[in-house]
Amino acid sequence: MSSRPANRSRRPLRPRVLALGLLSVALLVWVVLFYRGGGGEKIRHPEEPAPAAKPSSAVRTPAQTRTVTLYFVSETDSLLHPEGRDIPASGALSEEVSSVLAELVKGSRQDLVAPLPPETKVRQVFVTADGVAYVDFSREIMEAFAYGSSSELAAVYAVVDTLTANFPPIKKVAILIEGLEKETLGGHVDLSRPLPPDASLIAK
Amino acid sequence: MLSRQSRPYRLLLPAALLFAASVLSARAAAPVLRIQVRDGADGARLTIASTVPLSFSYDAQPSLLTVTFQTRTSFRILREPFQSRFIRSLGWSRGSESLTMAVSTAIEPYIYVDNLKPDPFELTIDIRPGRPGTPSGAAAPSAASVTPAAGASGAGAVPSPAVGTVTAPVSTAPAAAGAGSIAPTAPGTAAPAAAPLSEGGAGRRTRKIVLDPGHGGLEVGAKGSFGTMEKDVTLAICRKLKTALEKGLSSQVSLTREGDEDVPLDKRAAVANNIKADLFISVHTNGSRRKLAQGSETFFMSLTATDEETRKLAYLENEASRLKGTIADESRDDIQLILWDMAQTAFIKQSGGLAEIIQAELNDLLGTKDRGVKQAPFKVLTGVACPAVLVEVAFISNPDEEKRLTDEKFQDTVVAAVYRGLVKFLKVQG
């Protein structure tokens, strides 16, 4: 008696179970493919515009700019001091990072010292999904200055601290030169891996 | 994998199941290395169980014990989470011919005693506080005198021909990098080799000090407005310091460069590690974009890099089954980096102490502005497996200080300050 309803319900279920099984396996395969594929090209330009933030900022600043903080070296101490700047708000992270870095290279509008050689070009920027900004500079960043520890720390951390301060998705910054990983700019700060910000270099 | 999707509908399920099964079984088939750490009353017991026999060798540094297994097999490493009062952390790295375990100890000095059951392979290493009874130390670890528990480890480590410590130095990067690991000359010798600074009889043993004159060759370093080059000043100071240390401390002093030559930064660290140096002092003159910048400061390595490596290790562990022993050269470089960093991490505290002492002496003697002790991820300091600091004597970019830096008397005072700092540090350590 009790087996009959069970049998009845089992039989019509079989194709459904099979279909469900197939579906889940297909899903699994798709998920695996997705992650494998993603793993191979982790470095992506997150070009998609930030959704909710844009309209509100557009309301505040009709010219589509955003105010950022740049860090320059002061004449009085060796610390990094903030200076505000408006950059075009394109919504694309890598574009905005490039604009910020270009402003940093241009130097201070007050009398702070530019930490990077003015000839330096920003060649390319990309930000990985796990928050590492790869910033590729032209060779002038290495060649135009003879770095000491102080100026090298200032150059590296002006970049690192400026980017991490202005772009929350960026947790660390890796500096490349002419597309390649370089050991150091001038024999001091290790560039062979992404650097987290160092707040101790920023003036209080 | 794409082809699987294009197969007929009916075949999809079995094919996918087969695929899943094969992935799972491939994982299951890999030999397993099971690691366990248990604290006892007076020490921790590290148990390494393997499904296949292994040969291994030790390299003991202050607060870092590395065990290198000579194997081409790609293991699955199962590590039970642990909390220990004696062992701070465990790290793993793989080379194509070896697997290295780095044990960072929470105690220093420590002694270790190993015991091996051959079948199935189970290696236990007991780590507990204590001074290795090393009379004359690191240079030539002889089996008899060095091993405090020679009976236990000597007899235990090589019970069968299948398991023996490989004596030939294996050409694996990690082994070479792991704080200059050298396979012991006698099989199964547990050689608590260099525990230099924690040994008794301070001052009597010959200290090995490596001085690193910053920059060199084409890489001139910072430049002064009168044309003084950093590389020349740093070499002059290091030569004087060498003479002083050899005379006064009867230390064995090596320079990372003898003349005006290019020496890559990692080679400089290697100079120290190859001779198992006790101390590493890099001498630089500072440069700033600000002409007014002045003063002296002492750096030691910052810790930020280490978190990164811990994550990298975790990543490598996860990836290991995929890598299957065919590790690309670049990954091996990574592994090398990890081990070097772990080595330096073990010395960070001491490096900080050394930096404080040297900076205080500079302040006392030089009359330069005190810029203090700082931490920075300096390339030359990563990978040095001993206390290591970088001294920025003064600013060559500042015309006043540039003049002083070229002055013999000023250089002598710098030498005196660093010398005094080292004497004090060694006293504290001893």
Side-chain angles (χ1 to χ4, degrees), chain A residues 185-203:
Chain A
L185 288 184
H188 305 98
V189 182
D190 188 358
L191 297 182
S192 60
R193 57 193 136 197
L195 291 163
D198 184 348
S200 73
L201 292 167
I202 297 175

Side-chain angles (χ1 to χ4, degrees), chain A residues 100-138:
Chain A
V100 166
L101 291 174
E103 287 297 325
L104 194 65
V105 169
K106 264 187 217 163
S108 170
R109 288 176 189 169
Q110 302 155 21
D111 42 9
L112 297 169
V113 179
L116 300 171
E119 304 88 349
T120 308
K121 307 254 178 323
V122 182
R123 296 175 81 233
Q124 211 183 346
V125 169
F126 44 84
V127 182
T128 65
D130 55 350
V132 179
Y134 285 80
V135 181
D136 184 13
F137 288 105
S138 65

Side-chain angles (χ1 to χ4, degrees), chain B residues 96-407:
Chain B
S96 60
E97 288 171 357
S98 70
L99 180 64
T100 299
M101 177 177 68
V103 184
S104 165
T105 65
I107 45 170
E108 207 218 314
Y110 67 91
I111 50 174
Y112 68 101
V113 178
D114 68 347
N115 187 29
L116 184 71
K117 288 182 209 153
D119 195 23
F121 180 93
E122 190 185 272
L123 173 67
T124 55
I125 305 172
D126 289 334
I127 292 175
R128 60 172 188 265
R131 287 180 185 279
T134 322
S136 67
S142 82
S145 64
V146 165
T147 315
S153 72
V158 207
S160 79
V163 227
T165 305
V166 171
T167 51
V170 193
S171 66
T172 51
S181 154
I182 295 160
T185 45
T189 304
L197 294 168
S198 43
E199 282 173 11
R204 256 167 282 146
R205 199 178 60 80
T206 308
R207 310 283 180 175
K208 291 184 210 155
I209 300 174
V210 171
L211 302 178
D212 173 44
H215 310 279
L218 288 175
E219 221 257 284
V220 301
K223 270 182 284 194
S225 42
F226 303 117
T228 314
M229 287 188 279
E230 179 178 3
K231 62 171 185 175
D232 299 329
V233 176
T234 58
L235 185 60
I237 291 175
C238 283
R239 281 178 174 157
K240 284 171 186 270
L241 187 54
K242 179 177 163 52
T243 312
L245 290 169
E246 280 173 344
K247 252 191 229 158
L249 277 180
S250 44
S251 324
Q252 180 194 324
V253 183
S254 315
L255 299 189
T256 54
R257 63 181 176 97
E258 297 290 341
D260 181 18
E261 53 195 320
D262 270 294
V263 180
L265 295 172
D266 52 353
K267 285 259 168 65
R268 294 169 191 250
V271 168
N273 294 345
N274 286 343
I275 62 161
K276 300 207 170 186
D278 298 321
L279 295 171
F280 180 89
I281 321 276
S282 187
V283 176
H284 283 243
T285 65
N286 216 335
S288 171
R289 300 276 299 131
R290 305 163 39 231
K291 284 270 176 277
L292 295 176
Q294 54 163 325
S296 314
E297 59 196 320
T298 309
F299 287 92
F300 66 107
M301 201 185 84
S302 65
L303 269 170
T304 47
T306 323
D307 310 336
E308 174 71 16
E309 295 319 320
T310 314
R311 275 194 291 279
K312 226 188 236 174
L313 268 175
Y315 171 76
L316 281 173
E317 281 186 29
N318 293 336
E319 290 298 281
S321 55
R322 281 219 251 151
L323 293 174
K324 294 252 176 223
T326 55
I327 292 184
D329 282 349
E330 16 191 303
S331 330
R332 286 181 57 177
D333 284 351
D334 278 351
I335 288 163
Q336 200 164 333
L337 258 181
I338 292 166
L339 276 178
W340 283 32
D341 278 358
M342 285 191 65
Q344 167 74 117
T345 308
F347 299 104
I348 278 215
K349 240 191 175 164
Q350 288 171 307
S351 301
L354 178 58
E356 293 285 352
I357 291 174
I358 289 180
Q359 182 63 30
E361 294 300 329
L362 292 173
N363 294 340
D364 266 10
L365 291 186
L366 284 190
T368 47
K369 186 185 169 197
D370 174 17
R371 292 171 60 90
V373 170
K374 292 171 187 167
Q375 283 181 275
F378 282 153
K379 181 73 189 175
V380 75
L381 297 180
T382 58
V384 180
C386 66
V389 298
L390 186 147
V391 179
E392 289 287 354
V393 176
F395 277 82
I396 203 168
S397 55
N398 177 315
D400 286 342
E401 293 202 338
E402 179 188 1
K403 269 190 244 164
R404 298 187 73 185
L405 282 166
T406 52
D407 176 32

